[in-house]
């Protein structure tokens, strides 16, 4: 369902964004239920979905500035070329926890046309270290110079129940799925 996720964001890869400033996503990609009699994308656990929707409604519809309604989003990205690593920095006020090293991928081409959602140019990049406000991704040497695009949770089944990579500590919200520019988290492709 990555294509649906992409178009639900007006092709920005995240919300809110300039085209959809008053929109939120109640992220549920980490709530899959493979044994659901209603299909795997219709989880029986409605409580988690409902609580995430309530947080978003309080923040957006009711202007409640005291509520954190989204999972972590980076505020900056730092590249360490000599180590082939990328550090994603989150707001220090929003502590994160890492539950898995999987979920991030980079496209080994600077050409957006070669970085389609189904392209074989996408390579998994694991989280190799983390702090309470950052993660470090390890890139491959043979792909290092051509990386322009990054995506997260872009697989059909991105993670098991509440086991995606990055969550907020405060309310256990996952980092939302995204596709975008490696060094400019809020820029809409092309980079």
């Amino acid at each position: 369902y990555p294509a649906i996720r992409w178009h639900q964001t007006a092709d920005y890869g995240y919300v809110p964004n300039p085209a959809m400033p008053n929109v939120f996503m109640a992220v549920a990609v980490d709530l899959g239920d493979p044994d659901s009699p209603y299909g795997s994308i219709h989880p029986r656990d409605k409580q988690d979905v409902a609580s995430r929707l309530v947080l978003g409604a309080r923040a957006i519809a009711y202007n409640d500035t005291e509520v954190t309604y989204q999972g972590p989003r980076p505020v900056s990205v730092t590249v360490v070329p000599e180590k082939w690593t990328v550090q994603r920095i989150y707001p220090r006020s929003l502590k994160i926890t890492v539950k898995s090293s999987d979920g991030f991928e980079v496209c080994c081409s600077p050409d957006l046309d070669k970085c389609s959602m189904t392209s074989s140019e996408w390579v998994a990049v694991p989280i190799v270290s983390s702090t309470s406000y950052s993660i470090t991704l390890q890139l491959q040497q043979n792909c290092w110079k051509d990386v322009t695009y990054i995506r997260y949770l872009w697989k059909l089944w991105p993670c098991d129940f509440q086991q995606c990579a990055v969550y907020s500590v405060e309310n256990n919200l996952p980092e939302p799925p995204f596709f975008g520019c490696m060094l400019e988290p809020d820029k809409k492709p092309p980079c």
Side-chain angles (χ1 to χ4, degrees), residues 8-157:
Q8 286 174 330
T9 67
D11 298 350
Y12 273 83
Y14 63 91
V15 293
N17 62 48
M20 304 167 82
N22 295 315
V23 173
F24 69 92
M25 285 194 300
V27 176
V29 297
D30 67 325
L31 302 176
D33 184 352
D35 300 321
S36 172
Y38 310 108
S40 62
I41 64 165
H42 298 287
R44 291 170 282 187
D45 172 21
K46 303 298 186 197
Q47 289 78 16
D48 285 317
V49 175
S51 68
R52 292 174 185 184
L53 285 168
V54 166
L55 291 173
R58 284 177 54 196
I60 300 298
Y62 295 101
N63 294 317
D64 184 344
T65 58
E66 301 298 314
V67 66
T68 300
Y69 71 98
Q70 288 188 315
R73 277 199 38 81
V75 292
S76 66
V77 176
T78 303
V79 176
V80 183
E82 56 276 1
K83 293 184 178 181
W84 305 312
T85 60
V86 174
Q87 187 177 39
R88 295 171 59 82
I89 312 294
Y90 300 88
R92 287 182 185 252
S93 60
L94 178 70
K95 295 193 179 345
I96 64 165
T97 186
V98 174
K99 296 184 180 185
S100 167
S101 63
D102 301 325
F104 289 91
E105 298 173 286
V106 295
C107 184
C108 294
S109 173
D111 183 357
L112 181 58
D113 292 334
K114 292 183 179 177
C115 295
S116 70
M117 291 182 209
T118 58
S119 168
S120 62
E121 298 290 328
W122 289 98
V123 175
V125 288
I127 297 173
V128 292
S129 65
S130 65
T131 69
S132 63
Y133 63 90
S134 71
I135 61 169
T136 301
L137 304 171
Q138 182 67 59
L139 302 177
Q140 297 177 0
Q141 181 179 4
N142 62 345
C143 175
W144 173 253
K145 293 179 184 172
D146 294 326
V147 172
T148 306
Y149 300 99
I150 185 169
R151 65 186 184 185
Y152 176 63
L153 300 182
W154 222 252
K155 294 185 179 197
L156 190 57
W157 193 271

